[in-house]
Amino acid sequence: MEKDLTEKIQKLENILKEMESIVVAYSGGVDSTFLLAFARKVLGKKNVLAVTAQTEVESRDEIEEAKEISLLLDVNHEIITYSLLENNDFSSNPINRCYFCKKILTKKIKKIAEEKGFKWVVDGSHLEDEEDIRYGKKALIEEGIRSPLKEAGFRKEEIRIASSEMNLPTWNKPSSPCLSSRIPIGTPITLEALQRVERGEMVLKEAGFSVYRLRDHFPFARIEIGKNEFGKIMDERVREKIVKALKDLGYKFISLDLEGYRQGSFHRG
């Protein structure tokens, strides 16, 4: 392990010890899993609680994986269920919808922390999140949520390396933002659309793609995959299977985005 990363791990340990007890906003992704596992190691089981939100915008696969990893890490884990679509500030799908999502979530987690006597609520944000468009950051700051990985200076690749060293199953997991990110900004988010996207992405997953997004321009479906996998989708059997499955979901037109997968494509331009 490189000296710089070793120093950051030591800094993270010091930050967590100073916090004493934490509730982790836990998604099951690379960053929050590393933070949760390391906090469990440093603070012990009784001083760490993972809380996962189960709303209309999280896929069932992600929720199940969060449950499984929590069991693997031997951490206390709670799932809170509520509706985001009932909040028009979010469901109307403005460009800053993530602000409203984070605001609602952090308030709920802060209440849990207060009731159970935990001193801090933390999330898995890291240094590179400061370089990206993150409308949820404002809500985190407003609610006093701390980001120990960012405070310790971690970048994404360093989190993956440290996760691999700890044998965490998420070390090479692709990023997977919530399902609402597949719907064009300004188009209202509906349960029907979210379920259509979730089922459509399951088709792409079962076809063997490693990185994929199904952007919902209903009745158009725009598929984003890694450019290195374009050859696979051009296989006639694979393509026909995907087209049939997506048309069964109600899509009329199926397209492949020739730019390939890119993070937050609805926010670009």
Side-chain angles (χ1 to χ4, degrees):
M1 194 177 295
E2 295 182 7
K3 180 181 177 182
D4 188 45
L5 180 53
T6 302
E7 290 174 351
K8 290 179 181 181
I9 288 174
Q10 183 59 58
K11 187 174 182 180
L12 178 61
E13 181 175 340
N14 293 339
I15 289 169
L16 291 171
K17 285 180 177 177
E18 172 263 324
M19 287 182 167
E20 296 183 0
S21 64
I22 62 172
V23 178
V24 180
Y26 183 55
S27 67
V30 179
D31 309 322
S32 60
T33 295
F34 170 65
L35 176 59
L36 181 62
F38 195 78
R40 168 69 173 85
K41 177 182 176 183
V42 171
L43 299 177
K45 184 173 182 177
K46 69 176 183 178
N47 292 315
V48 178
L49 173 65
V51 175
T52 301
Q54 183 171 7
T55 73
E56 301 93 338
V57 303
E58 284 84 31
S59 72
R60 285 166 289 183
D61 276 359
E62 290 296 313
I63 297 297
E64 288 305 311
E65 190 165 351
K67 291 179 183 177
E68 291 170 6
I69 295 173
S70 296
L71 286 172
L72 177 68
L73 299 179
D74 188 30
V75 295
N76 295 312
H77 183 216
E78 291 187 15
I79 294 178
I80 51 174
T81 303
Y82 57 95
S83 173
L84 276 174
L85 299 187
E86 291 176 358
N87 185 294
N88 187 63
D89 288 330
F90 175 85
S91 62
S92 61
N93 201 10
I95 194 167
N96 64 337
R97 67 166 181 268
C98 293
Y99 168 81
F100 301 105
C101 175
K102 290 290 187 186
K103 193 76 170 177
I104 294 167
L105 173 61
T106 53
K107 282 183 176 294
K108 289 181 180 295
I109 297 181
K110 281 175 66 178
K111 185 177 180 181
I112 292 172
E114 183 179 347
E115 290 173 349
K116 294 182 179 292
F118 287 87
K119 293 188 175 182
W120 295 95
V121 174
V122 302
D123 86 320
S125 298
H126 53 80
L127 211 56
E128 287 173 68
D129 289 328
E130 293 296 302
E131 303 165 6
D132 198 4
I133 300 171
R134 301 276 177 170
Y135 293 101
K137 285 188 296 187
K138 182 182 177 184
L140 297 177
I141 293 169
E142 289 175 352
E143 296 300 323
I145 308 304
R146 289 182 64 176
S147 304
L149 300 180
K150 183 169 66 178
E151 292 178 29
F154 276 86
R155 303 185 72 82
K156 187 73 173 190
E157 187 58 29
E158 292 170 326
I159 295 170
R160 291 191 183 277
I161 292 170
S163 296
S164 178
E165 291 287 333
M166 292 178 67
N167 295 315
L168 298 178
T170 51
W171 76 270
N172 63 346
K173 181 181 179 180
S175 62
S176 183
C178 78
L179 296 172
S180 63
S181 66
R182 279 61 151 181
I183 299 172
I185 294 164
T187 299
I189 302 169
T190 65
L191 183 60
E192 179 184 17
L194 295 171
Q195 291 175 340
R196 187 168 60 227
V197 166
E198 182 176 10
R199 291 168 185 158
E201 290 198 342
M202 183 58 67
V203 172
L204 299 176
K205 180 180 180 180
E206 290 174 351
F209 294 99
S210 57
V211 179
Y212 50 85
R213 295 288 185 271
L214 181 64
R215 308 295 185 186
D216 185 271
H217 303 262
F218 197 76
F220 291 80
R222 175 168 59 91
I223 296 172
E224 292 181 14
I225 56 173
K227 293 177 184 177
N228 62 323
E229 295 189 291
F230 276 17
K232 183 187 296 184
I233 206 168
M234 288 297 105
D235 180 280
E236 186 173 351
R237 289 172 298 176
V238 174
R239 189 173 68 253
E240 287 182 353
K241 184 177 180 180
I242 291 172
V243 169
K244 181 182 183 307
L246 294 184
K247 285 194 171 183
D248 286 346
L249 292 175
Y251 291 106
K252 302 295 184 185
F253 309 97
I254 319 297
S255 66
L256 172 66
D257 192 315
L258 296 182
E259 287 191 81
Y261 165 73
R262 59 245 186 248
Q263 186 177 23
S265 65
F266 281 134
H267 285 276
R268 297 173 186 268

